[in-house]
Amino acid sequence: MMHLLSFTLCLAAFAALALATERQQHDLFGGPLSPTATRLLRVAGTGAMLLVLGVLLNWQGWGLGLVMFSGHTSLAAGVVFCAAIGLASARRRGKTAAISPVSRRV
């Protein structure tokens, strides 16, 4: 159960940090978010990472806790990265479908 909680928090943290980047904001929202929203996403992502680190260190100690933290963050980063690629490619497919020759004839 602790692994699921840790992974979920890492996933949320990396999602928040990814949404704090200008490129992802442009891809998902069509433009940049306000500086306040971006700052809040960065703070939330960093806070969630520190929370996960604290929970794992408290649960397993320094040796195994840091190893588990590294594994959870690696897996969560990979999931968020693949999701960002999938969303970007789906969005690009949607844009190219809108300007296809078939839609121009109508």
Side-chain angles (χ1 to χ4, degrees):
M1 189 65 177
M2 190 63 73
H3 290 289
L4 183 61
L5 173 68
S6 300
F7 175 70
T8 304
L9 285 172
C10 284
L11 196 62
F14 274 111
L17 291 172
L19 287 175
T21 62
E22 188 174 332
R23 180 178 183 141
Q24 298 304 322
Q25 292 174 3
H26 180 69
D27 285 347
L28 295 173
F29 307 121
L33 297 176
S34 69
T36 304
T38 301
R39 193 174 304 112
L40 285 174
L41 284 168
R42 288 179 184 157
V43 168
T46 304
M49 286 291 206
L50 290 173
L51 178 66
V52 170
L53 180 61
V55 166
L56 289 174
L57 290 179
N58 188 39
W59 181 41
Q60 292 291 332
W62 281 98
L64 190 56
L66 288 175
V67 171
M68 289 173 65
F69 180 72
S70 177
H72 287 276
T73 55
S74 297
L75 183 60
V79 169
V80 170
F81 181 70
C82 289
I85 290 172
L87 288 172
S89 65
R91 183 176 169 113
R92 285 189 191 113
R93 277 192 304 253
K95 282 185 178 178
T96 57
I99 56 172
S100 68
V102 174
S103 65
R104 286 187 203 164
R105 285 187 227 159
V106 174

